[in-house]
Structure formats: C-alpha cells, structure tokens
Amino acid sequence: MTALTLSTAAAPGLRADAIVIGVGKGGKGPVVAPGADAVDKAYDGRLAGVLETLGASGAEGEITKLPAPAGFKAPLVLAVGLGAEPEEGEPYGAEALRRAAGVAARALTGAKKAAFALPLADAADAGAIAEGALLGAYSFDAYKGSAKDAKVGGKAPLGEAALLGGKPRDKEYKAAVERALAVTEELNRARDLINTPPNDLDPEAFAAVAQTAAKEHGIKVEVLDEKALEKGGYGGILGVGAGSAAGPRLVKLSYTNAKASKHLAFVGKGITYDSGGISLKPAGHNETMKCDMSGAAAVFAAVVAAARLGLEVNVTGWLALAENMPSGSATRPGDVLRMYSGKTVEVLNTDAEGRLVLADALWAASAEKPDAIVDVATLTGAMVLALGSRTFGVMANDDAFRAAIVDAAEEVGEPSWPMPLPEHLRKGMDSPTADIANMGERMGGGLVAGLFLREFVGEGITWAHLDIAGPAFNEGGPFGYTPKGGTGSAVRTLVRLAELTAAGELG
C-alpha cells in the first residue's frame, strides 16, 4: 500500500516524481489554491494563466500536467481540479480535498513519490488528503500475472504520498494520519474481498480471512458452520445456502473496550455469489454478483478499524455468509423456512435471499441487546432505481437515528438519503401459509425489504438499514478516490458512527 508521510519541506527542494497542487474553478477562470504558493511564485505569479492556456478550468477531477519550474527537484507539476472556488474566507471542503487527492494519486500510478501541496490548514485537512490519496492509489492486481509483471509499464500504485504543510511532530496531525491509515487500509481490504472472484471467496474462505484478522487485532471471533447453524435453528441462512456445495457460515466478531459504556452491532449481508437460486437471474444481471457480499465486507472492515483505533465502544460484527445457487437441494419458491427468531417465512422468490440471511443475523444480534443495530446490504435493485449508483438509502425505526446516520455519512463523504418505511406496504407481505412472505408489492421494493428486516429486530432496539446496492460496486470508470469495481461503501460511515458513539455524541 502507498506509504504516507507528513513533511515540512518546501516544494522546490523536495525530491519527488511530481508536485501535486490544487486549482479551483473561479468566476473568471482557474484559481490557484492555497498550498501552491511556492509553485506559483516560481511561475512569477502567472501559474493560473499558464493553466488556463493549457485548457484547465479548475473543474472537479480535472488533471493538467506541466513541467516543474527551474530550481525544482521534482520534474513535474500536476494540477488537480478542486471544483468551485469557495466563498471568500471559506476553506475548501474535506470531500473536495479527498477527491482531488484521489484523482492525483491515481494519475500518478507508477510514480515512486509525490508531494501533495494541496490546501492544508489543519489536522482535519491532513486526514482528508491522506484518505483521498490512499484510497485513490488503490488497485486490484492479484489475478494479473505475477507481482513482478504487474509492475511493468508503470502499473504499480503510487509508492509514497508526502503531505506538504503537515506537522509530523504535532499530536493532532499524527492522529489524523494514523486514523486515515487504519480506516483506508481496512476499507481497501474490503475492496479486495469484493473484487475477489467467487471461486476463491466462498463463505468458508471469507470466514477464514475474518479469523486471521481477528487474531491479529485482538478481536474475539466465533464461526458457526453448517452443523452449528442447524443446531441453532438458523433457517434463513441455511435455506439460502442449501443449493450450494459451499456451506454457509455466520461469523461473529466482537471488539470490546474496557472503558466502553455503549454497544453497537453491525450486521452485513455476505452472499459470496448470488445466482438468484431457482429464481435464476438472467444473463446480464449475474456477472458482477461476486459483489453481493459487500455489506459483510463493510462490517468486517469497520470492526477491525474500530479495534485498530482503540475506540471506547463495544462493536460486534455479524457476517451472514452464504452462496445462493440453484440445484436439487436448493430452496424452491413456495418453500417455508423457520427462521432463528421462530417466525416462518414463505419464500416467493429465491433471489430475495439477502433479507433471509440478514433476518437470522439481526435476531442473533438482538439477543445481546445492543444500544443500536445497523445492517448493511446490497439488498435491492429498487434502491438503485430510486437513488442511482452513488447513493445508499437509509431506513430506520427511529427518525433521529436515521438522521444521525445520514449526517455521519455526509461528514465522511459517502452520499446517502433518508428513506421511509411506509406501514401500508407491510400488508403486501402477508402470507396464507407462513407468518410473512419474503416478497411484497413490487413498487417500493427497497422499502418493502426494509419493512421485512424490521420484523426481525428485537423489541425496543434502535435499528437502521443501509441499502448499498447502488454504490457498492462501480461498473463505470473511476472517479475521485473511487476505483472501478468494489468500492468499500459504508465502511467510513460505520467507523464514524462508532467514533460518535464512543464520544457520547450518538445515543
């Protein structure tokens, strides 16, 4: 992974492959952002004009390369667009810095070292730039020949990002960078899991990864295999995994802190491959279904990050892992499953399987009576239709908690939107055979799924559901610090929720 350093060195004397500067979009053309003073001075104060001549406007994500001025040890200046120039006296926002740093890091793939001379006024800015650079430099090359071959032709990620204007001896700056490292390393691990082909990541393999990480970071781990799930009565998880040769697993990760007074439970959908089961997905809808475990990857990453940060809150992660396949032993439409809660569910569509594994995990999490439960899942195509490919939906049984999650997501740069749980949609899941069906009205399908999950949350427990079906897997080109493929959506939101809870600012 890309190394990260704080540097007090002046841009001209720093040995690097490139100097990264920021450019804002002003009313009359590009505006050189704070942090680039030394570079602008070397151009006799005419850097903005030079950039405009080269076609730069300062638009978000725009890249302009130009030779470094005489006297600079770096040969290249890379100007990255920050978007609209803020009002006078106002700084550039954290998300603008993250995205700019991510774009620059990706553009400098193959470089050994880059100096980031972006606007950096305080430790929070340092953290944002660090996050952006480390997330933007991410690449998944595990299946592209040998490691040596992957580096041929400048394919290796940026080797080091030096943050100019950083204060390496300042406690706040050091803490901001250490936080960025912990969060981004775990988020990138989640991306790796999402991008791993399903023939190499079945439920047992995912559980093994979780066990290894738990041991490394002092997290207690418990893995329920088929026999344990059968003995415990986890009918939802077993029903979804019944058609696969790879058995299901329920993984419980428990991070505890002696000073904690609050307990959060995170529950993640972990369908390591989703064919749809007997309700088979058509061609064109199953090629990326290795990503259907993104919720579990996010929960796993968030728990490990909380442990690495030593947060004063107890966090339990539940990974509901199964592979949804068609076979002679698979659950059929019309079958009835008895869930871990004791409720029965008529399965009308085996491709609505995520809610079945989550239901068992939610009830298991509820048994410990945490202060709040948050589940994360690539649950419905309906949510993608509603919110698009970059925004996740947030539903909850408590409006204040839902608002707090949306605020936390906005703070860390993850677009989200509050969604309702309309009571009239519950009737559509009434079943003549079982307590509830796993399908309801087609219109508002994302909300129906949320109402189904609510049925399996313990009484009196605050709960929220994050449907990350849109932003979990980027099928388009990279943007900002977001790569093509697995994104690690919701990891930073979960970590922020844990931090706010530890600080006594949530619940």
Side-chain angles (χ1 to χ4, degrees):
M1 187 171 176
T2 302
L4 189 67
T5 56
L6 292 168
S7 177
T8 56
L14 190 68
R15 293 187 183 278
D17 295 296
I19 305 291
V20 177
I21 64 170
V23 184
K25 187 173 184 179
K28 298 181 180 180
V31 178
V32 178
D37 302 350
V39 180
D40 189 28
K41 183 179 179 181
Y43 278 95
D44 296 325
R46 294 180 295 178
L47 180 55
V50 172
L51 289 169
E52 187 171 23
T53 300
L54 293 173
S57 67
E60 180 184 319
E62 179 184 75
I63 287 288
T64 307
K65 296 180 180 180
L66 60 162
F72 276 62
K73 292 184 177 179
L76 176 72
V77 171
L78 187 147
V80 59
L82 289 162
E85 182 187 20
E87 296 292 329
E88 187 175 352
E90 294 294 320
Y92 284 92
E95 183 62 6
L97 298 178
R98 281 191 207 99
R99 292 179 180 178
V103 169
R106 186 168 54 253
L108 291 168
T109 296
K112 292 182 179 180
K113 182 177 181 178
F116 285 73
L118 294 172
L120 199 165
D122 54 27
D125 288 346
I129 296 168
E131 276 188 24
L134 295 173
L135 294 176
Y138 172 83
S139 66
F140 184 71
D141 300 317
Y143 293 84
K144 293 183 178 179
S146 68
K148 182 178 180 181
D149 291 339
K151 294 181 180 179
V152 174
K155 294 181 181 179
L158 173 65
E160 179 185 345
L163 275 55
L164 302 189
K167 300 177 182 178
R169 296 184 181 181
D170 185 284
K171 289 183 179 180
E172 290 187 1
Y173 278 77
K174 288 172 66 176
V177 168
E178 287 170 2
R179 180 192 182 278
L181 279 169
V183 173
T184 57
E185 284 179 359
E186 296 312 319
L187 192 153
N188 283 337
R189 194 206 307 247
R191 288 173 170 178
D192 284 346
L193 288 168
I194 297 164
N195 289 326
T196 298
N199 57 317
D200 280 347
L201 192 76
D202 61 15
E204 182 179 3
F206 195 147
V209 172
Q211 286 175 305
T212 300
K215 184 178 180 181
E216 180 183 355
H217 296 291
I219 300 168
K220 184 180 178 181
V221 61
E222 181 181 0
V223 178
L224 301 186
D225 60 12
E226 299 100 312
K227 289 183 179 179
L229 291 169
E230 187 74 42
K231 183 177 179 180
Y234 292 85
I237 296 174
L238 287 167
V240 173
S244 175
R249 297 288 187 272
L250 178 61
V251 179
K252 178 185 177 184
L253 297 164
S254 302
Y255 161 67
T256 57
N257 187 293
K259 297 180 180 180
S261 60
K262 295 286 185 177
H263 177 200
L264 292 178
F266 297 151
V267 177
K269 172 188 172 184
I271 305 300
T272 57
Y273 181 75
D274 182 19
S275 69
I278 297 297
S279 306
L280 193 67
K281 294 179 186 290
H285 291 77
N286 53 21
E287 291 81 357
T288 61
M289 282 298 101
K290 65 181 181 181
C291 79
D292 214 19
M293 37 61 69
S294 296
V299 167
F300 167 51
V303 175
V304 177
R308 291 182 59 175
L309 294 171
L311 300 182
E312 294 181 6
V313 58
N314 294 332
V315 183
T316 305
W318 299 83
L319 317 182
L321 309 176
E323 185 176 63
N324 188 24
M325 297 291 285
S327 74
S329 61
T331 294
R332 298 157 289 240
D335 282 355
V336 173
L337 303 177
R338 185 170 295 278
M339 311 296 282
Y340 181 57
S341 68
K343 284 187 179 180
T344 54
V345 176
E346 183 181 12
V347 180
L348 298 180
N349 187 328
T350 64
D351 196 22
E353 84 299 329
R355 64 199 70 181
L356 298 175
V357 300
L358 285 173
D360 276 355
L362 283 168
W363 194 254
S366 296
E368 297 190 336
K369 300 192 182 302
D371 293 286
I373 299 175
V374 180
D375 77 69
V376 188
T378 47
L379 207 61
T380 66
M383 196 58 62
V384 186
L385 290 173
L387 299 178
S389 62
R390 297 190 184 184
T391 304
F392 62 75
V394 183
M395 286 155 266
N397 61 4
D398 180 281
D399 289 348
F401 189 53
R402 181 183 63 184
I405 290 175
V406 171
D407 288 345
E410 181 179 8
E411 183 182 350
V412 299
E414 294 196 306
S416 69
W417 196 256
M419 301 294 283
L421 290 171
E423 294 298 334
H424 71 275
L425 291 176
R426 169 60 183 85
K427 185 173 178 57
M429 290 184 284
D430 286 348
S431 165
T433 309
D435 295 323
I436 190 171
N438 77 327
M439 293 291 289
E441 294 183 28
R442 181 169 176 267
M443 299 302 173
L447 313 182
V448 170
L451 286 165
F452 179 90
L453 295 178
R454 191 182 66 178
E455 297 279 322
F456 298 89
V457 177
E459 187 175 352
I461 298 175
T462 302
W463 157 80
H465 161 56
L466 278 53
D467 190 337
I468 62 170
F473 196 84
N474 176 26
E475 295 186 59
F479 59 92
Y481 48 81
T482 302
K484 184 178 179 66
T487 65
S489 177
V491 172
R492 290 179 296 143
T493 297
L494 294 180
V495 173
R496 188 62 187 140
L497 287 174
E499 289 176 326
L500 291 169
T501 303
E505 298 177 26
L506 188 68

